[in-house]
Amino acid sequence: MKVAIIGQGYVGLTIAAFASKKYSVVGFDNNQKIVDQLNSGVSHIEGVDSELMKIALASGNYRASISGSDIAGAEIVVIAVPTPLDSERKPDLKYIEAACKTVAENVTGPVLIINESTSFPGTIRNFIKPLIEKLSENKYEHLYAISPERVDPGRVDWDQKNTPRLYAGLTPEASAKTREFYSSFCDVLVEVSSPEVAEAAKLFENTFRQVNIALVNEFAQIAHALGISVYETLAAADTKPYGFMKFNPSAGVGGHCIPIDPTYLAHVADGLGVPATFIKRANEVNLEMPKYVVSRLAADNGGNLSGKKVQVIGVAYKPNVADVRETPAELVIAELKCLGAIVNWHDPLVKFWQGGESTALGGAEIAVVITLHDVMDPVQVSKSAPYVFDTTGKLTGVKGL
Ligand SMILES: NC(=O)c1ccc[n+]([C@@H]2O[C@H](COP(=O)([O-])OP(=O)(O)OC[C@H]3O[C@@H](n4cnc5c(N)ncnc54)[C@H](O)[C@@H]3O)[C@@H](O)[C@H]2O)c1
């Protein structure tokens, strides 16, 4: 059976790597560089080993393509494209819209269309299905389903195989075919009663994290004002064997999920007249953290950062990935520059970012650690400047949250 996967990023390529063990997979992406790289057996995604792609290519079960016509003959189409926010921080479905166009123009018969991109409840029923029907002038009667992706890039204990997968079709036939597809590479499949439940569950999972991260970030500020260690306090609370889950403070949230998905839920809630106040406040707290961190730097350094050399260490949004999407490091750098600091950054995984290059560790008067990758030596980082401020809680003998 041929499967087309639209979007070969973190989600789409991960699915492609697993699915190509059983199916013939076309990985469609509109980025030529990514397609060329994948066809030469080089994965651009942490967690998807290039060796795996080489094996899939050699078996003839995988190829990447930039040509929509290559999805012809597929029986299943999986959509895994970005779902960002627009300039007004509202859901932006333009990539899903483009993916629907590719499907409508290129499938050659009835197919099962599964959306894995994160979006608000009602996306498969009220957006994707009517759009494909309109664009293809109802040429075929397709099946539609949702199976939100839960991959955590860089994580090794929970992967595509052992992470339970939610799914629901718009019809029982769509549900059954979706189950059959994923059961070849997922151990635990959880069917829910409607696509809206699956879509909402995905958003709520990430909202749970967003709100709790905001709560601990606010608590870090309270703990500092109280003159106590936030980490010792959290460790103490964590000795309670029930009713408590530990989250760690940080310079803010990043990546494609936590800073964005909750706003998709807030958007739909607003439309229903239920104000999502927790989500909005949590967004504010997390987005204010970079300013708070810089204010602590300034307070410890004579109240003025103007003209001071500052190195930002670790610009990826989390450890052990090169992903800089929505990274709080960007807001920290902007705030430092706003206060007149002379800023450079160091990240052994990112190397190039925003037209600039990672500098060697050290050489600044002040260092602020946003992300600590495993390849970085904590002792060297701790000694990289006369004043080091750690937002990760992993360094000893330095200032921190
Ligand atoms: N990254 C994660 O950890 C994660 C986890 C769970 C869910 N998600 C969700 O999955 C979806 C995809 O996220 P991602 O992280 O894989 O994004 P990504 O940016 O890593 O990859 C998306 C890919 O889609 C391609 N693309 C964009 N528009 C296209 C189009 N019209 N046709 C073909 N290709 C197109 C891009 O070139 C890119 O390679 C999003 O909705 C995201 O919220 C992501």
Side-chain angles (χ1 to χ4, degrees), residues 6-12 28-31 34 44-45 80-83 95 98-99 102 116-118 149-153 202 256-257 261 317 325:
I6 304 189
Q8 291 294 275
Y10 281 90
V11 169
F28 172 74
D29 201 289
N30 59 7
N31 182 321
I34 288 176
H44 61 300
I45 298 296
V81 293
T83 43
Y95 299 99
T102 302
E116 285 213 19
S117 319
T118 308
E149 179 52 61
R150 287 167 151 173
V151 66
D152 184 6
K202 167 73 193 178
H256 200 320
C257 296
D261 299 354
Y317 84 88
R325 290 177 297 181

Side-chain angles (χ1 to χ4, degrees), residues 220-228 292:
Q221 299 176 44
I222 297 170
H224 177 68
L226 283 169
I228 58 174
Y292 172 73

Side-chain angles (χ1 to χ4, degrees), residues 183-383:
S183 59
S184 66
F185 55 93
C186 298
D187 294 342
V188 186
L189 287 153
V190 183
E191 182 174 353
V192 292
S193 65
S194 71
E196 285 74 13
V197 171
E199 289 166 325
K202 167 73 193 178
L203 294 185
F204 189 69
E205 288 163 16
N206 285 347
T207 300
F208 174 82
R209 281 185 60 72
Q210 176 233 19
V211 168
N212 278 288
I213 291 168
L215 181 63
V216 79
N217 279 339
E218 190 169 78
F219 180 63
Q221 299 176 44
I222 297 170
H224 177 68
L226 283 169
I228 58 174
S229 158
V230 64
Y231 299 108
E232 188 188 352
T233 313
L234 290 172
D238 201 28
T239 59
K240 185 178 177 184
Y242 52 87
F244 182 77
M245 185 182 282
K246 190 173 152 208
F247 284 78
N248 290 313
S250 59
V253 291
H256 200 320
C257 296
I258 310 299
I260 293 172
D261 299 354
T263 302
Y264 272 65
L265 189 56
H267 168 80
V268 90
D270 278 347
L272 295 166
V274 187
T277 52
F278 271 101
I279 294 176
K280 288 173 192 164
R281 182 63 196 132
N283 266 341
E284 282 168 8
V285 172
N286 288 331
L287 285 167
E288 283 160 7
M289 271 317 272
K291 269 195 177 173
Y292 172 73
V293 167
V294 174
S295 76
R296 293 275 305 274
L297 252 59
D300 286 351
N301 286 277
N304 186 1
L305 294 174
S306 184
K308 298 211 165 102
K309 282 190 186 162
V310 182
Q311 183 166 64
V312 175
I313 299 174
V315 298
Y317 84 88
K318 69 171 184 176
N320 307 326
V321 299
D323 195 344
V324 285
R325 290 177 297 181
E326 309 281 327
T327 175
E330 187 173 349
L331 298 177
V332 169
I333 290 173
E335 181 64 11
L336 285 166
K337 285 185 176 167
C338 184
L339 297 183
I342 302 157
V343 189
N344 68 28
W345 57 271
H346 168 78
D347 192 312
L349 297 191
V350 176
K351 296 194 177 98
F352 300 97
W353 178 51
Q354 293 195 324
E357 213 172 317
S358 172
T359 51
L361 183 69
E365 304 161 76
I366 296 170
V368 53
V369 186
I370 307 299
T371 300
L372 195 70
H373 301 299
D374 288 353
V375 293
M376 292 154 106
D377 178 352
V379 177
Q380 270 185 8
V381 173
S382 306
K383 292 180 177 163

Side-chain angles (χ1 to χ4, degrees), residues 155-166:
R155 189 161 195 142
V156 288
D157 50 350
W158 291 103
D159 61 15
Q160 200 55 246
K161 190 163 160 38
N162 63 1
T163 305
R165 176 173 278 278
L166 301 178

Side-chain angles (χ1 to χ4, degrees), residues 8 13 27 31-44 48-58 62-65:
Q8 291 294 275
L13 191 66
N31 182 321
Q32 184 73 60
K33 197 173 150 212
I34 288 176
V35 168
D36 290 345
Q37 231 179 308
L38 290 174
N39 281 334
S40 65
V42 178
S43 162
H44 61 300
V48 179
D49 197 346
S50 290
E51 282 315 305
L52 213 61
M53 295 321 297
K54 285 193 179 92
I55 293 167
L57 284 164
Y62 177 79
R63 88 188 151 99
S65 172

Side-chain angles (χ1 to χ4, degrees), residues 1-6 24-28 63 65-78 101-111 139-140 142:
M1 181 165 72
K2 181 170 170 180
V3 175
I5 301 177
I6 304 189
S24 164
V25 174
V26 171
F28 172 74
R63 88 188 151 99
S65 172
I66 198 166
S67 167
S69 59
D70 281 336
I71 75 169
E75 290 174 51
I76 294 178
V77 180
V78 178
K101 193 163 180 280
T102 302
V103 176
E105 287 172 356
N106 294 290
V107 292
T108 46
V111 296
K139 199 167 170 191
Y140 304 110
H142 300 304

